[in-house]
């Protein structure tokens, strides 16, 4: 047993009743956890199963989930329609390579995504994670110009407070501070990370930058309406319209990273719809499979796709992840889209929005609370600072909820199927725990 295992066993942690299950003690010393200082992080909670909006721990306790597993499980966990679709697909064919082979789940999904997205966002490139979808969007944008005989456009404009993933290309377009990647500045290419053009001054600064550097820039990349992992910061649709206009003026591609905002989270199926802006490329993941399996998509307009359409093999997009278009994941995504079509998700999101606004309102004016904001099924309480993040997370567990604040923000992004009572429990827990700060 290594030092870490001994220390972890003695840490005031998850407070599990009785002994943890065998797999927990035996395996914990062999995993490396996300975004965690392994020496000081509290050990994770052992989970036995999930159902609806509940996470069931090994000691039988049920936590109401306020996060929906990093915003993926939009229909709640274990939705029978998705489960049935995955089970049927598992019997038929879990996976075949996408090179040289095609199958119904992927082609059906591509057709359905193209029909749901606005404008002529018609060409879908599948991958297996959000970060990779962003990398692909960036490659598409750079090669778009090269294929049209225009060299030198390999940089991007992205925004402070933004987050686009943890792989190298995606890291380079995150906010250098809140994007968690400041250490790697030496590894990453230098892009232009600027203020969102929310008002005149930042709009003028962006315009000056584009005037000077448009010839070096492939595209503008933005999380539309909400910068999620960067702190649940919201901006108006007018910002997105300004970005579309700037991209058009300077002949740049506009890329919307809808990995967080896509599939209803901000109140419409896609944030680009609410803004009435059609980007040139959009990235999707997270809730694409309803939180069941990893899958992502980079979707391009006809204009972008046509720059690759050629007799010349050198103009092809040279990308092809091994699990691209995985049949199980695509079956789950098709089933998730069925649920959006068959069940009143957008009404549920509107009701959640109202309940979040009402339930979180008491936080306004509390000591240390900077802002309380709600957009769609996202509720955020921003504090001046959270002194003991791990301690606050543990307090939420004591209250019977799973809520994981980051930075100085406590947020809720529940499943759209959450009941009013469950949601009220979540907001009451936030009010109580924030009130203790
Ligand atoms: C807007 C956005 N883009 C990209 C990513 C990266 O996705 P993944 O973690 O699947 O690589 C995330 C993840 O939080 C995200 O919120």
């Amino acid at each position: 047993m290594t030092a870490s295992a001994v220390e972890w066993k003695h840490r005031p942690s998850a407070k599990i009743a009785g002994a943890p299950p065998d797999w927990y003690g035996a395996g914990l010393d062999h995993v490396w956890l996300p975004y965690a200082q392994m020496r000081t992080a509290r050990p994770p909670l052992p989970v036995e199963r999930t159902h609806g909006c509940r996470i069931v721990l090994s000691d039988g306790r049920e936590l109401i989930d306020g996060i929906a597993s990093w915003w993926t499980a939009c229909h709640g966990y274990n939705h029978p329609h998705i489960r049935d679709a995955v089970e049927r697909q598992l019997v038929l064919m879990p996976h075949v390579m996408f090179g040289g082979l095609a199958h119904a789940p992927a082609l059906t999904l591509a057709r359905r995504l193209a029909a749901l997205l606005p404008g002529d966002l018609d060409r879908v490139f599948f991958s297996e994670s959000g970060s990779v979808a962003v990398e692909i969007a960036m490659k598409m944008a750079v090669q778009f110009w090269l294929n049209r005989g225009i060299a030198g456009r390999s940089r991007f404009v992205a925004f402070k407070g933004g987050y686009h993933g943890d792989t190298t290309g995606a890291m380079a377009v995150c906010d250098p501070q809140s994007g968690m990647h400041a250490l790697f500045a030496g590894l990453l290419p230098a892009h232009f990370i600027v203020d969102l053009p929310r008002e005149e001054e930042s709009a003028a600064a962006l315009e000056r930058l584009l005037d000077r550097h448009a010839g070096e820039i492939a595209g503008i990349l933005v999380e539309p309406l909400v910068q999620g992992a960067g702190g649940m910061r919201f901006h108006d649709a007018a910002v997105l319209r300004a970005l579309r206009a700037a991209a058009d003026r300077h002949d740049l591609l506009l890329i919307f990273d809808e990995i967080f905002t896509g599939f209803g989270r901000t109140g419409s199926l896609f944030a680009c719809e609410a803004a009435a802006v059609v980007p040139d490329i959009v990235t999707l993941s997270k809730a694409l499979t309803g939180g069941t399996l990893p899958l992502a998509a980079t979707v391009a307009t006809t204009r972008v796709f046509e720059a690759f359409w050629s007799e010349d093999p050198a103009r092809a997009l040279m990308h092809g992840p091994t699990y691209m278009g995985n049949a199980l994941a695509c079956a789950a995504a098709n089933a998730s889209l069925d649920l959006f079509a068959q069940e009143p998700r957008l009404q549920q999101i509107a009701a959640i929005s109202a309940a979040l606004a009402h339930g979180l309102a008491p936080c306004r004016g509390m000591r240390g609370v900077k802002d309380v904001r709600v957009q769609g099924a996202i509720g955020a309480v921003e504090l001046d600072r959270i002194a003991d993040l791990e301690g606050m997370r543990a307090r939420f567990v004591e209250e019977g909820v799973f809520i994981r604040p980051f930075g100085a923000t406590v947020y809720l992004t529940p499943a759209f199927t959450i009941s009013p009572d469950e949601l009220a429990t979540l907001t009451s827990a936030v009010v109580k725990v924030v009130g203790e700060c």
Side-chain angles (χ1 to χ4, degrees), residues 71 129-132 134 163-166 223 229 257 259-260 285-286:
W71 329 312
S129 83
S131 304
V132 174
V134 170
Y163 175 79
H164 299 284
D166 293 345
E223 290 165 87
D257 178 351
I259 287 164
F260 172 63
S285 188
K286 299 275 190 195

Side-chain angles (χ1 to χ4, degrees), residues 16-254:
I16 307 153
D22 288 348
W23 56 260
Y24 186 83
L28 201 54
D29 209 26
H30 299 283
V31 287
W32 198 328
L33 299 169
Y35 306 119
Q37 170 44 264
M38 293 293 290
R39 177 148 195 176
T40 55
R42 295 188 188 217
L45 301 163
V47 178
E48 211 58 60
R49 61 195 173 83
T50 52
H51 67 95
C53 297
R54 307 289 176 114
I55 295 171
V56 185
L57 302 182
S58 63
D59 63 6
R61 269 179 308 159
E62 291 200 2
L63 302 181
I64 299 174
D65 184 7
I67 309 294
S69 282
W70 277 330
W71 329 312
T72 60
C74 56
H75 313 288
Y77 295 109
N78 311 29
H79 196 290
H81 183 66
I82 301 182
R83 194 183 55 218
D84 289 350
V86 173
E87 282 175 359
R88 275 198 308 276
Q89 189 57 45
L90 184 61
V91 174
L92 220 52
M93 173 182 70
H95 178 75
V96 286
M97 60 189 277
F98 214 54
L101 301 171
H103 50 77
L107 268 56
T108 304
L109 180 60
R111 174 181 57 73
R112 292 177 78 179
L113 289 175
L116 286 172
L117 285 161
D120 63 345
L121 283 159
D122 275 349
R123 197 57 74 152
V124 180
F125 195 101
F126 288 114
S127 57
E128 29 4 21
S129 83
S131 304
V132 174
V134 170
E135 302 271 343
I136 293 165
M138 293 171 72
K139 278 174 78 170
M140 269 180 192
V142 169
Q143 195 176 344
F144 170 84
W145 296 111
L146 291 173
N147 282 359
R148 289 161 50 124
I150 300 167
R153 288 181 166 232
S154 57
R155 300 177 77 181
F156 288 85
V157 172
F159 297 96
K160 291 183 189 163
Y163 175 79
H164 299 284
D166 293 345
T167 54
T168 312
M171 278 200 281
V173 281
C174 293
D175 182 297
Q177 297 309 321
S178 71
M180 300 174 282
H181 307 131
L183 282 182
F184 303 102
L187 170 73
L188 305 176
H191 297 298
F192 298 102
I193 313 293
V194 301
D195 288 317
L196 270 170
R198 293 170 193 273
E199 23 61 38
E200 258 174 47
E201 199 182 317
S202 47
L206 177 63
E207 195 55 27
R208 282 196 300 278
L209 173 84
L210 297 180
D211 276 341
R212 255 203 317 275
H213 294 285
E216 302 159 47
I217 296 170
I220 302 175
L221 171 61
V222 66
E223 290 165 87
L225 296 186
V226 180
Q227 293 179 307
M232 301 295 162
R233 302 178 209 210
F234 306 161
H235 54 263
D236 292 342
V239 170
L240 303 173
R241 290 192 283 274
L243 290 178
R244 177 73 272 177
D248 291 344
R249 238 182 349 267
H250 294 276
D251 199 16
L252 303 171
L253 294 181
L254 181 62

Side-chain angles (χ1 to χ4, degrees), residues 322-400:
T322 303
Y323 280 98
M324 175 175 186
N326 174 261
L328 287 175
C330 290
N334 279 311
S336 176
L337 293 186
D338 295 343
L339 293 174
F340 276 104
Q342 291 160 12
E343 298 190 359
R345 287 290 176 267
L346 296 186
Q347 287 100 299
Q348 287 168 316
I349 294 162
I352 289 171
S353 206
L356 285 172
H358 176 74
L360 297 177
C363 291
R364 262 200 196 96
M366 278 182 180
R367 195 162 51 93
V369 171
K370 224 161 119 178
D371 190 26
V372 178
R373 49 186 181 264
V374 172
Q375 161 104 33
I378 307 162
V381 179
E382 186 180 339
L383 289 87
D384 293 327
R385 61 189 279 271
I386 298 175
D388 178 8
L389 210 47
E390 294 269 13
M392 186 185 260
R393 290 170 178 170
R395 272 292 293 120
F396 281 122
V397 174
E398 286 168 11
E399 292 297 316

